[in-house]
PDB file of all heavy atoms in Angstrom:
ATOM      1  N   MET A 183      12.647 -36.494  17.119  1.00  0.00           N
ATOM      2  CA  MET A 183      12.676 -35.393  16.263  1.00  0.00           C
ATOM      3  C   MET A 183      13.588 -35.710  15.064  1.00  0.00           C
ATOM      4  O   MET A 183      14.597 -36.267  15.180  1.00  0.00           O
ATOM      5  CB  MET A 183      13.250 -34.132  16.940  1.00  0.00           C
ATOM      6  CG  MET A 183      13.423 -32.946  16.067  1.00  0.00           C
ATOM      7  SD  MET A 183      13.995 -31.523  16.997  1.00  0.00           S
ATOM      8  CE  MET A 183      14.498 -30.440  15.673  1.00  0.00           C
ATOM      9  N   ARG A 214      -6.447 -41.768   6.191  1.00  0.00           N
ATOM     10  CA  ARG A 214      -5.987 -40.743   7.114  1.00  0.00           C
ATOM     11  C   ARG A 214      -5.405 -39.531   6.334  1.00  0.00           C
ATOM     12  O   ARG A 214      -5.019 -39.676   5.182  1.00  0.00           O
ATOM     13  CB  ARG A 214      -5.029 -41.357   8.145  1.00  0.00           C
ATOM     14  CG  ARG A 214      -5.662 -42.289   9.154  1.00  0.00           C
ATOM     15  CD  ARG A 214      -4.697 -42.778  10.139  1.00  0.00           C
ATOM     16  NE  ARG A 214      -4.238 -41.747  11.025  1.00  0.00           N
ATOM     17  CZ  ARG A 214      -4.873 -41.278  12.143  1.00  0.00           C
ATOM     18  NH1 ARG A 214      -6.031 -41.804  12.413  1.00  0.00           N
ATOM     19  NH2 ARG A 214      -4.387 -40.362  12.884  1.00  0.00           N
ATOM     20  N   LEU A 219       2.691 -28.472   8.093  1.00  0.00           N
ATOM     21  CA  LEU A 219       2.752 -27.090   8.643  1.00  0.00           C
ATOM     22  C   LEU A 219       4.081 -26.491   8.394  1.00  0.00           C
ATOM     23  O   LEU A 219       5.080 -26.947   8.937  1.00  0.00           O
ATOM     24  CB  LEU A 219       2.429 -27.114  10.136  1.00  0.00           C
ATOM     25  CG  LEU A 219       1.017 -27.445  10.564  1.00  0.00           C
ATOM     26  CD1 LEU A 219       0.554 -28.818  10.269  1.00  0.00           C
ATOM     27  CD2 LEU A 219       0.796 -27.092  12.100  1.00  0.00           C
ATOM     28  N   LYS A 248      12.285 -27.310  21.232  1.00  0.00           N
ATOM     29  CA  LYS A 248      11.193 -27.152  22.174  1.00  0.00           C
ATOM     30  C   LYS A 248       9.793 -27.692  21.585  1.00  0.00           C
ATOM     31  O   LYS A 248       8.959 -28.053  22.310  1.00  0.00           O
ATOM     32  CB  LYS A 248      10.979 -25.714  22.501  1.00  0.00           C
ATOM     33  CG  LYS A 248       9.946 -25.373  23.535  1.00  0.00           C
ATOM     34  CD  LYS A 248       9.814 -23.888  23.756  1.00  0.00           C
ATOM     35  CE  LYS A 248       8.660 -23.629  24.789  1.00  0.00           C
ATOM     36  NZ  LYS A 248       8.453 -22.219  25.064  1.00  0.00           N
ATOM     37  N   LEU A 249       9.771 -27.804  20.275  1.00  0.00           N
ATOM     38  CA  LEU A 249       8.552 -28.219  19.651  1.00  0.00           C
ATOM     39  C   LEU A 249       8.262 -29.639  20.049  1.00  0.00           C
ATOM     40  O   LEU A 249       7.038 -30.088  20.049  1.00  0.00           O
ATOM     41  CB  LEU A 249       8.686 -28.163  18.141  1.00  0.00           C
ATOM     42  CG  LEU A 249       8.647 -26.715  17.511  1.00  0.00           C
ATOM     43  CD1 LEU A 249       8.926 -26.780  16.039  1.00  0.00           C
ATOM     44  CD2 LEU A 249       7.382 -25.968  17.839  1.00  0.00           C
ATOM     45  N   ARG A 250       9.299 -30.437  20.423  1.00  0.00           N
ATOM     46  CA  ARG A 250       9.053 -31.788  20.934  1.00  0.00           C
ATOM     47  C   ARG A 250       8.110 -31.888  22.084  1.00  0.00           C
ATOM     48  O   ARG A 250       7.324 -32.826  22.210  1.00  0.00           O
ATOM     49  CB  ARG A 250      10.400 -32.393  21.428  1.00  0.00           C
ATOM     50  CG  ARG A 250      11.331 -32.819  20.260  1.00  0.00           C
ATOM     51  CD  ARG A 250      12.585 -33.368  20.907  1.00  0.00           C
ATOM     52  NE  ARG A 250      13.456 -34.007  19.908  1.00  0.00           N
ATOM     53  CZ  ARG A 250      14.614 -34.565  20.225  1.00  0.00           C
ATOM     54  NH1 ARG A 250      15.032 -34.527  21.458  1.00  0.00           N
ATOM     55  NH2 ARG A 250      15.388 -35.065  19.312  1.00  0.00           N
ATOM     56  N   ASP A 251       8.155 -30.824  22.980  1.00  0.00           N
ATOM     57  CA  ASP A 251       7.297 -30.806  24.169  1.00  0.00           C
ATOM     58  C   ASP A 251       5.835 -30.391  23.829  1.00  0.00           C
ATOM     59  O   ASP A 251       4.959 -30.698  24.652  1.00  0.00           O
ATOM     60  CB  ASP A 251       7.878 -29.844  25.215  1.00  0.00           C
ATOM     61  CG  ASP A 251       9.305 -30.226  25.636  1.00  0.00           C
ATOM     62  OD1 ASP A 251       9.574 -31.435  25.668  1.00  0.00           O
ATOM     63  OD2 ASP A 251      10.040 -29.274  25.928  1.00  0.00           O
ATOM     64  N   ILE A 252       5.694 -29.823  22.698  1.00  0.00           N
ATOM     65  CA  ILE A 252       4.314 -29.289  22.357  1.00  0.00           C
ATOM     66  C   ILE A 252       3.631 -30.281  21.481  1.00  0.00           C
ATOM     67  O   ILE A 252       2.408 -30.477  21.591  1.00  0.00           O
ATOM     68  CB  ILE A 252       4.469 -27.923  21.619  1.00  0.00           C
ATOM     69  CG1 ILE A 252       5.264 -26.958  22.467  1.00  0.00           C
ATOM     70  CG2 ILE A 252       3.086 -27.370  21.229  1.00  0.00           C
ATOM     71  CD1 ILE A 252       5.515 -25.623  21.758  1.00  0.00           C
ATOM     72  N   LEU A 253       4.285 -30.949  20.546  1.00  0.00           N
ATOM     73  CA  LEU A 253       3.710 -31.767  19.565  1.00  0.00           C
ATOM     74  C   LEU A 253       3.615 -33.225  20.047  1.00  0.00           C
ATOM     75  O   LEU A 253       4.236 -33.615  21.030  1.00  0.00           O
ATOM     76  CB  LEU A 253       4.578 -31.786  18.299  1.00  0.00           C
ATOM     77  CG  LEU A 253       4.724 -30.401  17.581  1.00  0.00           C
ATOM     78  CD1 LEU A 253       5.764 -30.488  16.486  1.00  0.00           C
ATOM     79  CD2 LEU A 253       3.351 -29.983  16.976  1.00  0.00           C
ATOM     80  N   PRO A 254       2.691 -34.019  19.446  1.00  0.00           N
ATOM     81  CA  PRO A 254       2.565 -35.439  19.804  1.00  0.00           C
ATOM     82  C   PRO A 254       3.865 -36.151  19.555  1.00  0.00           C
ATOM     83  O   PRO A 254       4.683 -35.732  18.796  1.00  0.00           O
ATOM     84  CB  PRO A 254       1.497 -35.904  18.791  1.00  0.00           C
ATOM     85  CG  PRO A 254       0.706 -34.740  18.416  1.00  0.00           C
ATOM     86  CD  PRO A 254       1.698 -33.565  18.423  1.00  0.00           C
ATOM     87  N   SER A 255       4.108 -37.179  20.376  1.00  0.00           N
ATOM     88  CA  SER A 255       5.435 -37.805  20.333  1.00  0.00           C
ATOM     89  C   SER A 255       5.651 -38.423  18.941  1.00  0.00           C
ATOM     90  O   SER A 255       4.709 -38.809  18.308  1.00  0.00           O
ATOM     91  CB  SER A 255       5.435 -38.977  21.342  1.00  0.00           C
ATOM     92  OG  SER A 255       4.404 -39.963  21.106  1.00  0.00           O
ATOM     93  N   ARG A 256       6.920 -38.424  18.558  1.00  0.00           N
ATOM     94  CA  ARG A 256       7.345 -38.977  17.262  1.00  0.00           C
ATOM     95  C   ARG A 256       6.859 -38.230  16.015  1.00  0.00           C
ATOM     96  O   ARG A 256       6.746 -38.723  14.907  1.00  0.00           O
ATOM     97  CB  ARG A 256       6.965 -40.514  17.108  1.00  0.00           C
ATOM     98  CG  ARG A 256       7.486 -41.366  18.251  1.00  0.00           C
ATOM     99  CD  ARG A 256       7.176 -42.831  18.022  1.00  0.00           C
ATOM    100  NE  ARG A 256       7.825 -43.326  16.823  1.00  0.00           N
ATOM    101  CZ  ARG A 256       9.082 -43.684  16.812  1.00  0.00           C
ATOM    102  NH1 ARG A 256       9.826 -43.614  17.891  1.00  0.00           N
ATOM    103  NH2 ARG A 256       9.624 -44.188  15.671  1.00  0.00           N
ATOM    104  N   THR A 257       6.466 -36.951  16.302  1.00  0.00           N
ATOM    105  CA  THR A 257       6.092 -36.075  15.159  1.00  0.00           C
ATOM    106  C   THR A 257       7.306 -35.584  14.408  1.00  0.00           C
ATOM    107  O   THR A 257       8.159 -35.018  15.029  1.00  0.00           O
ATOM    108  CB  THR A 257       5.293 -34.839  15.699  1.00  0.00           C
ATOM    109  OG1 THR A 257       4.106 -35.291  16.339  1.00  0.00           O
ATOM    110  CG2 THR A 257       4.954 -33.910  14.555  1.00  0.00           C
ATOM    111  N   PRO A 258       7.425 -35.882  13.107  1.00  0.00           N
ATOM    112  CA  PRO A 258       8.580 -35.381  12.403  1.00  0.00           C
ATOM    113  C   PRO A 258       8.655 -33.897  12.303  1.00  0.00           C
ATOM    114  O   PRO A 258       7.620 -33.257  12.008  1.00  0.00           O
ATOM    115  CB  PRO A 258       8.405 -36.034  11.016  1.00  0.00           C
ATOM    116  CG  PRO A 258       7.462 -37.171  11.206  1.00  0.00           C
ATOM    117  CD  PRO A 258       6.510 -36.692  12.319  1.00  0.00           C
ATOM    118  N   ILE A 259       9.829 -33.315  12.585  1.00  0.00           N
ATOM    119  CA  ILE A 259      10.096 -31.878  12.473  1.00  0.00           C
ATOM    120  C   ILE A 259      11.296 -31.745  11.559  1.00  0.00           C
ATOM    121  O   ILE A 259      12.324 -32.306  11.786  1.00  0.00           O
ATOM    122  CB  ILE A 259      10.332 -31.305  13.806  1.00  0.00           C
ATOM    123  CG1 ILE A 259       9.203 -31.538  14.816  1.00  0.00           C
ATOM    124  CG2 ILE A 259      10.551 -29.752  13.680  1.00  0.00           C
ATOM    125  CD1 ILE A 259       9.454 -31.112  16.235  1.00  0.00           C
ATOM    126  N   ILE A 269       6.576 -29.231   9.918  1.00  0.00           N
ATOM    127  CA  ILE A 269       6.035 -30.240  10.821  1.00  0.00           C
ATOM    128  C   ILE A 269       5.086 -31.170   9.999  1.00  0.00           C
ATOM    129  O   ILE A 269       4.243 -30.650   9.175  1.00  0.00           O
ATOM    130  CB  ILE A 269       5.235 -29.622  12.016  1.00  0.00           C
ATOM    131  CG1 ILE A 269       6.174 -28.747  12.815  1.00  0.00           C
ATOM    132  CG2 ILE A 269       4.554 -30.710  12.817  1.00  0.00           C
ATOM    133  CD1 ILE A 269       5.504 -27.875  13.815  1.00  0.00           C
ATOM    134  N   LEU A 270       5.217 -32.457  10.197  1.00  0.00           N
ATOM    135  CA  LEU A 270       4.388 -33.454   9.481  1.00  0.00           C
ATOM    136  C   LEU A 270       3.443 -34.101  10.478  1.00  0.00           C
ATOM    137  O   LEU A 270       3.916 -34.641  11.520  1.00  0.00           O
ATOM    138  CB  LEU A 270       5.245 -34.419   8.737  1.00  0.00           C
ATOM    139  CG  LEU A 270       5.985 -33.935   7.538  1.00  0.00           C
ATOM    140  CD1 LEU A 270       7.028 -34.966   7.096  1.00  0.00           C
ATOM    141  CD2 LEU A 270       5.002 -33.559   6.429  1.00  0.00           C
ATOM    142  N   LEU A 271       2.161 -34.046  10.270  1.00  0.00           N
ATOM    143  CA  LEU A 271       1.156 -34.598  11.231  1.00  0.00           C
ATOM    144  C   LEU A 271       0.425 -35.664  10.541  1.00  0.00           C
ATOM    145  O   LEU A 271      -0.122 -35.571   9.416  1.00  0.00           O
ATOM    146  CB  LEU A 271       0.217 -33.485  11.639  1.00  0.00           C
ATOM    147  CG  LEU A 271       0.765 -32.344  12.523  1.00  0.00           C
ATOM    148  CD1 LEU A 271      -0.319 -31.344  12.691  1.00  0.00           C
ATOM    149  CD2 LEU A 271       1.284 -32.848  13.791  1.00  0.00           C
ATOM    150  N   ASP A 272       0.270 -36.770  11.295  1.00  0.00           N
ATOM    151  CA  ASP A 272      -0.640 -37.883  10.854  1.00  0.00           C
ATOM    152  C   ASP A 272      -1.944 -37.708  11.680  1.00  0.00           C
ATOM    153  O   ASP A 272      -1.866 -37.756  12.913  1.00  0.00           O
ATOM    154  CB  ASP A 272       0.003 -39.245  11.170  1.00  0.00           C
ATOM    155  CG  ASP A 272      -0.941 -40.396  10.843  1.00  0.00           C
ATOM    156  OD1 ASP A 272      -1.418 -40.444   9.694  1.00  0.00           O
ATOM    157  OD2 ASP A 272      -1.193 -41.195  11.693  1.00  0.00           O
ATOM    158  N   CYS A 273      -3.037 -37.416  10.998  1.00  0.00           N
ATOM    159  CA  CYS A 273      -4.236 -37.113  11.694  1.00  0.00           C
ATOM    160  C   CYS A 273      -5.447 -37.674  10.961  1.00  0.00           C
ATOM    161  O   CYS A 273      -5.441 -38.089   9.818  1.00  0.00           O
ATOM    162  CB  CYS A 273      -4.376 -35.624  11.936  1.00  0.00           C
ATOM    163  SG  CYS A 273      -4.197 -34.676  10.372  1.00  0.00           S
ATOM    164  N   LYS A 278      -7.879 -31.494  13.820  1.00  0.00           N
ATOM    165  CA  LYS A 278      -6.634 -31.879  14.515  1.00  0.00           C
ATOM    166  C   LYS A 278      -5.505 -30.995  14.056  1.00  0.00           C
ATOM    167  O   LYS A 278      -4.653 -30.590  14.876  1.00  0.00           O
ATOM    168  CB  LYS A 278      -6.294 -33.371  14.306  1.00  0.00           C
ATOM    169  CG  LYS A 278      -7.369 -34.277  14.888  1.00  0.00           C
ATOM    170  CD  LYS A 278      -7.445 -34.271  16.363  1.00  0.00           C
ATOM    171  CE  LYS A 278      -8.422 -35.315  16.863  1.00  0.00           C
ATOM    172  NZ  LYS A 278      -8.494 -35.287  18.357  1.00  0.00           N
ATOM    173  N   VAL A 279      -5.395 -30.789  12.799  1.00  0.00           N
ATOM    174  CA  VAL A 279      -4.384 -29.835  12.239  1.00  0.00           C
ATOM    175  C   VAL A 279      -4.484 -28.504  12.827  1.00  0.00           C
ATOM    176  O   VAL A 279      -3.557 -27.818  13.228  1.00  0.00           O
ATOM    177  CB  VAL A 279      -4.396 -29.860  10.680  1.00  0.00           C
ATOM    178  CG1 VAL A 279      -3.316 -28.974  10.116  1.00  0.00           C
ATOM    179  CG2 VAL A 279      -4.237 -31.262  10.151  1.00  0.00           C
ATOM    180  N   ASP A 281      -5.901 -27.676  15.608  1.00  0.00           N
ATOM    181  CA  ASP A 281      -5.583 -27.657  17.052  1.00  0.00           C
ATOM    182  C   ASP A 281      -4.106 -27.485  17.276  1.00  0.00           C
ATOM    183  O   ASP A 281      -3.661 -26.730  18.195  1.00  0.00           O
ATOM    184  CB  ASP A 281      -6.042 -28.992  17.716  1.00  0.00           C
ATOM    185  CG  ASP A 281      -7.550 -29.062  17.776  1.00  0.00           C
ATOM    186  OD1 ASP A 281      -8.190 -27.973  17.681  1.00  0.00           O
ATOM    187  OD2 ASP A 281      -8.045 -30.168  18.033  1.00  0.00           O
ATOM    188  N   VAL A 282      -3.336 -28.157  16.405  1.00  0.00           N
ATOM    189  CA  VAL A 282      -1.831 -28.048  16.517  1.00  0.00           C
ATOM    190  C   VAL A 282      -1.368 -26.623  16.176  1.00  0.00           C
ATOM    191  O   VAL A 282      -0.507 -26.047  16.875  1.00  0.00           O
ATOM    192  CB  VAL A 282      -1.140 -29.098  15.666  1.00  0.00           C
ATOM    193  CG1 VAL A 282       0.345 -28.842  15.585  1.00  0.00           C
ATOM    194  CG2 VAL A 282      -1.423 -30.454  16.158  1.00  0.00           C
ATOM    195  N   ALA A 283      -1.984 -26.025  15.083  1.00  0.00           N
ATOM    196  CA  ALA A 283      -1.623 -24.688  14.713  1.00  0.00           C
ATOM    197  C   ALA A 283      -1.934 -23.663  15.811  1.00  0.00           C
ATOM    198  O   ALA A 283      -1.113 -22.805  16.102  1.00  0.00           O
ATOM    199  CB  ALA A 283      -2.412 -24.315  13.443  1.00  0.00           C
ATOM    200  N   ALA A 285      -2.130 -24.364  19.019  1.00  0.00           N
ATOM    201  CA  ALA A 285      -1.154 -24.674  20.107  1.00  0.00           C
ATOM    202  C   ALA A 285       0.209 -23.968  19.890  1.00  0.00           C
ATOM    203  O   ALA A 285       0.780 -23.564  20.847  1.00  0.00           O
ATOM    204  CB  ALA A 285      -1.033 -26.204  20.306  1.00  0.00           C
ATOM    205  N   LEU A 286       0.662 -23.949  18.661  1.00  0.00           N
ATOM    206  CA  LEU A 286       1.937 -23.383  18.308  1.00  0.00           C
ATOM    207  C   LEU A 286       1.925 -21.860  18.306  1.00  0.00           C
ATOM    208  O   LEU A 286       2.886 -21.273  18.805  1.00  0.00           O
ATOM    209  CB  LEU A 286       2.412 -23.894  17.005  1.00  0.00           C
ATOM    210  CG  LEU A 286       2.728 -25.404  16.841  1.00  0.00           C
ATOM    211  CD1 LEU A 286       3.185 -25.745  15.467  1.00  0.00           C
ATOM    212  CD2 LEU A 286       3.810 -25.815  17.819  1.00  0.00           C
TER     213      LEU A 286
END
Side-chain angles (χ1 to χ4, degrees):
M183 174 177 167
R214 290 182 67 81
L219 286 70
K248 183 181 177 182
L249 291 175
R250 285 180 172 179
D251 300 328
I252 304 173
L253 298 169
S255 62
R256 303 184 65 82
T257 297
I259 304 171
I269 298 169
L270 291 168
L271 294 175
D272 177 54
C273 52
K278 296 293 186 183
V279 180
D281 289 344
V282 172
L286 294 178

